[in-house]
Amino acid sequence: MTTILVSGANGFVGRALCDSLQQHGYNVRGAVRSCDVVLNSQVSRYSVGEINTLTDWSAALAGVDVVIHLAARVHVMNETSGDPLTEFRKTNVQGTEHLARSAAAQGVKRLVFVSSIKVNGESTVLATSKFEKIPPGPPLTKWGTIKSVFSETDEANPQDPYGVSKWEAEQALHRVAKETGLEVVIVRPPLVYGAGVKGNFAQMLKVLTKGIPLPLASVHNLRSLIYIGNFVDALKVCAAHPAAAGRTFLVSDGEDVSTPDLLRQLGAAMGHPARLLPCPPLLLKLAGRLLGRSDQIQRLLGSLRVDSSRIRRELGWQPPFTLKEGLGLTVAS
């Protein structure tokens, strides 16, 4: 029986992944930071403390075949550090490299690293929009070259400390793989949604429940998402498929959706129809700047499209859930 260690096993994705792996016959171990964390009774728990260069992985890795590394320092809403990048690097870069070298030393065959679409950049342009039509050659902005769709062949373009740390972690893993023979698979997801989702997605659900009108009817964008059931299925394939070794994959549901259409579908599933009002996006952007919420507004207005054809082509992966099914299951939860 294959033994898989999942780091960050108590997180949003980690719990779903551990449950799915266990249901499919894997021997599952969950690495968590605190001994107080409760996991599925059939998942062996290993408390490893903070993830950095001093983390002792020896007990958790003994006899493990594959590691799926989810644990990371993620976005900090109220950042207090004067040097956020240094803090992100301690966990996401140095901690990840230390785990990979520890795994290689213990004879682990493969490490699947959950990176982020932020390695590619923050947004794509919508080629079908008369306002954002792409001229010959991608446009240059203050963020660099903007793509119409992100793919694995893009030059990395991370824009914040989190994205930079994920990109640096990927490079560190490639070095470890070259030096030790450890098989490394990198997966970059866009926004993951599903039961227990937090952040902006959860806020949208709350707003829809309350029937609050939203000035988003005039938004014309496209965003790629991935339902948690699809994501954990892709991770399982990456953990087992021989052709995944050494590859980087972008994953998504394969159905891009605009913000207004996403709200309409969620509202229909909830029985609370979305109340959308027309408003020029430029006014929304201005309001975002005045309120200090430009990033949040950009996520509602901007496009971020992912080409997930490589994993489908090379590994034969197909998402088991459609966008409609994923949204319905999210609401039902």
Side-chain angles (χ1 to χ4, degrees), residues 262-273 324 327-332:
L262 174 62
L263 290 165
R264 292 186 185 103
Q265 290 192 49
L266 285 171
M270 298 172 67
H272 295 280
K324 182 178 180 180
L327 295 176
L329 290 167
T330 300
V331 168

Side-chain angles (χ1 to χ4, degrees), residues 220-280:
H220 301 287
N221 65 342
L222 283 175
R223 299 192 73 88
S224 297
L225 312 171
I226 187 162
Y227 174 57
I228 194 167
N230 291 335
F231 189 34
V232 300
D233 190 73
L235 292 175
K236 284 187 298 185
V237 171
C238 288
H241 201 296
R247 303 297 279 165
T248 296
F249 298 108
L250 272 57
V251 293
S252 75
D253 287 338
E255 304 174 65
D256 298 338
V257 63
S258 70
T259 299
D261 284 344
L262 174 62
L263 290 165
R264 292 186 185 103
Q265 290 192 49
L266 285 171
M270 298 172 67
H272 295 280
R275 302 175 62 188
L276 304 179
L277 305 176
C279 181

Side-chain angles (χ1 to χ4, degrees), residues 12 14 23 54 71 119 124 126 184 201 255 258 272 289 298 303:
F12 167 53
Q23 291 167 11
L54 301 178
V119 170
T124 57
L126 187 60
V184 168
F201 206 97
E255 304 174 65
S258 70
H272 295 280
R289 284 196 293 269
Q298 175 57 31
S303 294

